[in-house]
Amino acid sequence: MKKILISSFGALLLFQAATAQQKMVADKIVAKVGDKIILKSDIESALVDMQEQALQGGQSLPPNASCSAIEQIIAQKILVLQAERDSLPISESDVDGRIESQIRYFEQRYGSRENMTRVTGYTIYQLRERFRDAIKENMLAKAMSDKIVNAVKVTPTEVRANFERIPKDSLPFYESELEIGQLILIPKANREMDKYAVDRLMEIKRKVENKEGDFATYANLYSEDPGVKENGGVYDLNRNDKNYDPDFLSASFRLREGEISNPVKSQFGYHLIMMKKRAGDKVTVQHILLKPNVINSDVSSALEKLDTIRAQIIAKKMTFGEAVAKYSDDPMAKFNGGMLTNQMTGSTYITIDQLNDPSTKDIVMLLDSLKPGAVSKPMQFTDEQGRRALRLVYLKTRTEPHRENLQDDYARIQARTLQDKQLTARAKWLQDKIPTFYVYVDDDYKNCGYISKWLAGVAKN
């Protein structure tokens, strides 16, 4: 095991653990750290998670995978115990928000809430309770880990030393990589189309309140929310959840049980929201979404605006980043500056074969005609929500295929050097801290590399 990673105990592990534990007749305690126990099923679940990550990277599990799994879990427990000692702040509302995010992720992964509960064998409420402790532990461990490594810095000398210790023929080889930005505009429907959508929703509200129809029936008939076929437009919301449109969330929490809102505008269109149930910071609502029709003249107006923005960038009256900050309709732009990111590494360097998403495939056609620093003419595309959208594409940089070197790859060598130094700092912290806690490990795992060192340290105290 070259480095100790904090086990994510993320949504995938939790779901697989839930299904595994259903089938388990008996379990075995294989380790205990302080008052926290580690079961054999925890290791099996971690191995499933590791297998998934290995497959994504085109690799297979190493022979010592079980050792790596239990070492990660023990490290996690120590971090959690120390975070509790230090009273690191983790709010219950943050935990609730993370739980809801994980549940929504798996609703999408399994196709529907019904499939999700069928696969796991648990209701949505049972899953929330099963998630809570593991997610809270994960958040505490991360907070403690951040406290340990945040002060770690690297110098240029350390970066160079990290690079030079790798034999030249073993340095990574990088295919041609690009940094690509996009400024997205979503054509807005005109006032007449807006009014038509609002009037339709007001008519539905009137019919429901006059008992002329059922809200759920109208949701299934008319709502343009893609999820309506699976959930009837019903959503469980948490007041602190950052994954929902803020206007939709705010309007939902202003309602009383049984009350229906007036049309609420969000980035997706207009919503009619009915409060089904509320309990403190948690509510269950049902909604009907109507999207005002965007006509050709609306698209033409957006094209003209985008042409003007492009002209200002070319004339150097503003940078591409400034234009994105000022005009982009992409909600992620405020976090990524409009730059596409590599989902595997988190960096802005991507390869052409990573532009395989339906919403980015057409960018590939532009690359031959764009030079680094250039901005494309406005182009139409269909976004992930199926909307007509427009964008400018900015090619920031393009690298040639090359072996890693300090001139072209300093930033990533620096990041690697920092990560290595942080891992070393965390490993030393664990070696020093573990003897201050009670640690028991089953004989089957005592000879694992890090565990044997940790237990030797415990024995000395």
Side-chain angles (χ1 to χ4, degrees):
M1 180 179 175
K2 295 182 180 178
K3 55 188 179 181
I4 297 176
L5 301 175
I6 300 175
S7 178
S8 66
F9 284 97
L12 178 60
L13 185 154
L14 291 169
F15 262 67
Q16 290 164 336
T19 53
Q21 287 169 6
Q22 275 188 284
K23 301 172 184 177
M24 200 169 298
V25 177
D27 212 339
K28 177 183 177 182
I29 295 176
V30 295
K32 189 171 183 181
V33 183
D35 61 349
K36 301 182 184 299
I37 63 171
I38 299 169
L39 301 173
K40 188 171 180 61
S41 59
D42 294 328
I43 298 174
E44 292 169 351
S45 296
L47 287 171
V48 173
D49 195 20
M50 291 167 67
Q51 178 72 55
E52 174 105 356
Q53 294 177 30
L55 289 173
Q56 289 175 358
Q59 301 173 336
S60 57
L61 284 179
N64 65 341
S66 292
C67 279
S68 295
I70 190 170
E71 285 167 349
Q72 290 177 24
I73 297 171
I74 289 174
Q76 172 109 352
K77 300 298 184 186
I78 294 294
L79 288 163
V80 170
L81 287 166
Q82 188 62 43
E84 291 172 347
R85 276 184 182 177
D86 294 351
S87 301
L88 295 189
I90 298 294
S91 72
E92 290 302 318
S93 61
D94 287 341
V95 175
D96 288 339
R98 188 73 60 85
I99 291 171
E100 297 307 317
S101 295
Q102 301 287 26
I103 287 175
R104 274 198 305 280
Y105 168 77
F106 273 93
E107 282 181 354
Q108 295 172 358
R109 183 182 177 118
Y110 285 104
S112 70
R113 179 168 294 191
E114 289 73 18
N115 285 344
M116 180 180 69
T117 55
R118 178 176 56 79
V119 170
T120 64
Y122 295 101
T123 68
I124 201 77
Y125 304 104
Q126 289 171 326
L127 285 171
R128 284 196 184 99
E129 291 310 307
R130 295 188 73 84
F131 282 6
R132 180 169 297 280
D133 288 344
I135 284 180
K136 187 171 183 178
E137 280 200 359
N138 189 46
M139 294 172 71
L140 282 167
K142 184 179 185 308
M144 191 66 238
S145 180
D146 289 346
K147 183 178 178 181
I148 296 164
V149 304
N150 278 348
V152 176
K153 308 293 180 188
V154 293
T155 66
T157 301
E158 289 173 316
V159 175
R160 178 175 290 276
N162 182 286
F163 171 74
E164 291 179 345
R165 70 177 174 79
I166 303 174
K168 283 186 167 46
D169 58 358
S170 298
L171 288 168
F173 183 84
Y174 302 117
E175 299 293 340
S176 178
E177 294 178 308
L178 311 104
E179 287 186 292
I180 299 172
Q182 54 180 352
L183 193 162
I184 295 174
L185 288 187
I186 308 297
K188 307 297 190 294
N190 61 44
R191 290 184 180 179
E192 288 184 7
M193 292 296 101
D194 267 10
K195 184 176 184 303
Y196 178 70
V198 170
D199 288 346
R200 283 185 67 198
L201 289 176
M202 287 301 293
E203 178 63 12
I204 291 172
K205 178 181 179 180
R206 184 191 67 77
K207 288 182 176 179
V208 173
E209 291 179 337
N210 290 340
K211 312 292 187 194
E212 296 175 26
D214 178 67
F215 193 97
T217 301
Y218 288 127
N220 285 302
L221 284 173
Y222 302 121
S223 181
E224 296 178 72
D225 174 5
V228 72
K229 292 180 181 178
E230 302 294 344
N231 60 21
V234 177
Y235 291 96
D236 295 312
L237 307 177
N238 182 287
R239 188 184 297 276
N240 300 293
D241 199 328
K242 304 295 191 297
N243 294 298
Y244 283 97
D245 181 276
D247 295 315
F248 174 81
L249 200 65
S250 175
S252 296
F253 276 90
R254 287 198 297 269
L255 297 172
R256 300 184 300 274
E257 277 196 22
E259 185 180 5
I260 301 174
S261 71
N262 286 326
V264 175
K265 188 174 184 178
S266 78
Q267 60 181 304
F268 304 105
Y270 286 92
H271 308 259
L272 202 62
I273 308 169
M274 181 175 71
M275 173 66 69
K276 295 177 71 69
K277 183 174 65 176
R278 67 182 306 151
D281 286 339
K282 299 177 183 178
V283 299
T284 301
V285 300
Q286 187 169 31
H287 84 129
I288 300 170
L289 170 66
L290 293 184
K291 302 176 182 180
N293 287 333
V294 175
I295 58 179
N296 289 337
S297 61
D298 302 325
V299 176
S300 296
S301 295
L303 276 170
E304 290 178 12
K305 180 178 179 180
L306 212 47
D307 263 326
T308 301
I309 295 170
R310 178 174 182 263
Q312 290 178 311
I313 296 170
I314 292 173
K316 301 190 183 306
K317 293 182 178 178
M318 67 172 69
T319 65
F320 182 81
E322 290 169 343
V324 167
K326 187 173 183 180
Y327 297 111
S328 181
D329 289 328
D330 179 6
M332 294 303 295
K334 61 184 177 181
F335 302 109
N336 60 26
M339 302 303 295
L340 301 181
T341 55
N342 186 320
Q343 297 303 308
M344 297 296 291
T345 66
S347 79
T348 56
Y349 288 95
I350 60 175
T351 56
I352 289 179
D353 62 353
Q354 289 173 318
L355 296 171
N356 56 7
D357 184 272
S359 65
T360 56
K361 271 187 174 181
D362 57 342
I363 291 178
V364 176
M365 306 298 293
L366 290 172
L367 295 177
D368 286 341
S369 60
L370 276 184
K371 294 181 179 179
V375 179
S376 74
K377 292 181 179 180
M379 57 186 295
Q380 293 192 45
F381 72 104
T382 301
D383 73 2
E384 294 174 346
Q385 297 172 33
R387 298 177 297 185
R388 295 173 70 180
L390 307 170
R391 65 177 157 214
L392 298 176
V393 176
Y394 168 53
L395 179 58
K396 184 178 180 181
T397 63
R398 186 204 304 264
T399 67
E400 295 301 321
H402 66 284
R403 187 74 66 182
E404 184 178 85
N405 62 80
L406 281 168
Q407 180 177 343
D408 297 322
D409 307 299
Y410 185 87
R412 73 172 104 214
I413 299 169
Q414 182 185 47
R416 184 177 68 225
T417 307
L418 178 61
Q419 183 185 50
D420 289 348
K421 193 172 179 179
Q422 288 175 334
L423 288 168
T424 300
R426 189 184 297 125
K428 183 181 183 307
W429 181 91
L430 283 167
Q431 189 67 49
D432 294 340
K433 191 62 64 173
I434 283 178
T436 69
F437 293 95
Y438 168 76
V439 178
Y440 157 80
V441 180
D442 188 85
D443 289 343
D444 291 343
Y445 301 97
K446 281 185 176 179
N447 292 324
C448 291
Y450 274 95
I451 290 176
S452 62
K453 293 179 183 177
W454 291 339
L455 292 180
V458 171
K460 290 179 184 179
N461 285 269

